[in-house]
């Protein structure tokens, strides 16, 4: 596939779930099925081993196996971005170098979570990891999970690193996003409920969760907007709202609802997660099903 400087990782990406067997082991075949499902339904990129991939629970070796399996599954049909962000710079460095060896097309580097470093620490982390490989980097700003927001000054300094090219934004400050674009960042929406709004503010595309179950519709919304049919884009977004609300309405909606949705679609035969997460219970699955049905996805 081809990418452009304005959308260096593609336009429609999903932070994909990692499949697990009943005994808790990584299910590489199931993970490959998820990737294949995504590229067959509107995606030109996937992100592995992010929050939705339950990366805090996977080992370095498992992350490498997941990345290799997804690369094999999608071939040249989509970019594959490897999540390498942790709250340990040494750990992130190891993951980044492994991802480069396996052939990742990009790295997703989240702000270190829980530790709450200052901006100097955030920049040191980004610089250490980004300068260790030649792989393009997408920073990830999600203060709801990390307790730290990347400052504009840190963004400006990080942009001086040649490999830092994009940001996945879950801050939801559109004006701030425009300023990031002016700095030279490709901005990707990191919140499905804000996808349409981000397009209006010049975003390159999305790193979705709802894309697990609505890839074609998400692609159709983007293409309608691109061709200037904003009424159609809004109509698609409106139809997707019940699904967006259902997917985002459960605890740690990324992993738990993504897998339950994939089970409802028949892509996975289970919804196994690793602790401390627990799978959706039957009532939660019923609520998810109702939302997907209301959006015409089931």
């Amino acid at each position: 596939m081809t990418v452009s400087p304005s959308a260096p990782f593609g336009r429609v990406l999903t932070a994909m779930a990692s499949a697990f067997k009943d005994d808790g082991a990584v299910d590489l075949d199931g993970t490959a099925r998820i990737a294949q499902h995504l590229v067959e339904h509107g995606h030109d990129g996937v992100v592995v081993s992010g929050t939705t991939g339950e990366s805090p629970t996977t080992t370095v070796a498992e992350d490498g196996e997941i990345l290799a399996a997804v690369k094999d599954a999608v071939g040249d049909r989509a970019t594959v971005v490897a999540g390498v962000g942790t709250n340990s710079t040494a750990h992130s460095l190891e993951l980044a170098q492994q991802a480069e060896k396996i052939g990742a097309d990009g790295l997703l580097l989240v702000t270190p979570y829980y530790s709450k470093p200052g901006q100097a620490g955030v920049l040191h982390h980004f610089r250490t990891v980004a300068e260790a490989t030649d792989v393009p980097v997408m920073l990830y700003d999600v203060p709801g999970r990390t307790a730290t927001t990347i400052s504009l000054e840190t963004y400006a300094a990080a942009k001086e690193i040649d490999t830092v090219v994009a940001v996945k934004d879950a801050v939801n400050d559109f004006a701030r996003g425009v300023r990031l674009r002016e700095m030279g960042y490709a901005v990707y929406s990191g919140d499905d409920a804000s996808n349409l709004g981000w397009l209006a503010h010049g975003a390159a595309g999305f790193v979705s969760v709802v894309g697990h179950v609505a890839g074609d519709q998400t692609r159709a919304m983007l293409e309608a907007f691109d061709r200037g049919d904003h009424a159609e884009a809004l109509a698609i977004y409106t139809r997707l709202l019940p699904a967006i609300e259902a997917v985002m309405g459960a605890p740690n909606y990324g992993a738990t609802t993504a897998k339950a949705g994939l089970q409802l679609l028949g892509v996975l035969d289970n919804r196994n997660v690793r602790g401390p997460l627990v799978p959706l219970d039957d009532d939660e699955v019923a609520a998810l099903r109702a939302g997907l049905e209301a959006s015409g996805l089931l």
Side-chain angles (χ1 to χ4, degrees), residues 180-270:
L180 293 177
R181 289 188 64 245
E182 290 177 338
M183 288 182 190
Y185 283 94
V187 178
Y188 286 81
S189 170
D191 175 18
D192 281 292
S194 300
N195 282 351
L196 183 57
W198 272 116
L199 288 179
H201 288 82
F206 322 123
V207 180
S208 178
V209 173
V210 178
H212 282 98
V213 294
D216 290 330
Q217 294 79 3
T218 301
R219 167 68 65 175
M221 180 181 70
L222 180 142
E223 291 181 348
F225 189 92
D226 280 355
R227 66 176 180 265
D229 192 346
H230 297 166
E232 175 62 12
L234 178 59
I236 295 169
Y237 174 81
T238 302
R239 287 195 297 272
L240 283 176
L241 274 177
I244 292 171
E245 291 166 351
V247 168
M248 297 176 68
N252 196 58
Y253 61 85
T256 57
T257 53
K259 290 183 185 180
L262 291 167
Q263 185 183 34
L264 291 172
L265 291 177
V267 178
L268 294 179
D269 59 9
N270 65 68

Side-chain angles (χ1 to χ4, degrees), residues 58-66 91 94-95 98 102:
T58 53
T59 66
V60 173
E62 288 173 331
D63 287 338
E65 292 168 353
I66 289 167
H91 187 189
E94 183 179 10
L95 289 170
Q98 172 179 260
I102 294 171

Side-chain angles (χ1 to χ4, degrees), residues 86-89 110-126 146-150 154:
T86 72
N87 58 353
S88 163
T89 301
V110 71
T111 316
Y113 43 83
Y114 187 75
S115 304
K116 293 184 68 174
Q119 293 299 315
V122 171
L123 180 59
H124 171 75
H125 181 80
F126 289 164
T146 66
T148 302
T149 303
I150 305 170
T154 298

